[in-house]
Amino acid sequence: MSEMEEDARDLLTRTLMTVSVGALWMLTNVTLGLWFGWFFFANTPTLGNYIFYAFFLISLIAMIRYFIKLWSKPI
């Protein structure tokens, strides 16, 4: 078998982690928002809507910080 260069392996690992974590984050938020009905609200927002959107923003900030930390290391 051919050995992959270390730089190429690192780049591939970072790319796959970025895509995987981003897809998992989107899947989680879409599932929570649509399954439980917290994404949309009829007339006024409920407590579930507030909790969902707070979780959405906090997890988005955490994911972006993770991506910055992941990609800031030199290859």
Side-chain angles (χ1 to χ4, degrees):
M1 285 183 103
S2 65
E3 291 288 326
M4 188 182 294
E5 289 188 29
E6 203 59 39
D7 293 344
R9 182 186 310 261
D10 189 35
L11 181 64
L12 181 61
T13 303
R14 289 181 192 195
T15 304
L16 288 175
M17 285 299 293
T18 302
V19 171
S20 299
V21 169
L24 181 65
W25 178 81
M26 285 190 288
L27 182 66
T28 302
N29 283 302
V30 167
T31 301
L32 289 175
L34 295 178
W35 186 280
F36 296 115
W38 294 333
F39 188 74
F40 301 109
F41 48 89
N43 295 328
T44 59
T46 62
L47 179 63
N49 296 113
Y50 288 123
I51 292 171
F52 170 72
Y53 281 108
F55 171 76
F56 177 84
L57 290 175
I58 291 168
S59 64
L60 177 65
I61 291 168
M63 184 181 68
I64 290 172
R65 289 188 65 196
Y66 171 71
F67 289 158
I68 290 170
K69 182 180 174 184
L70 180 69
W71 285 98
S72 65
K73 299 178 201 170
I75 292 178

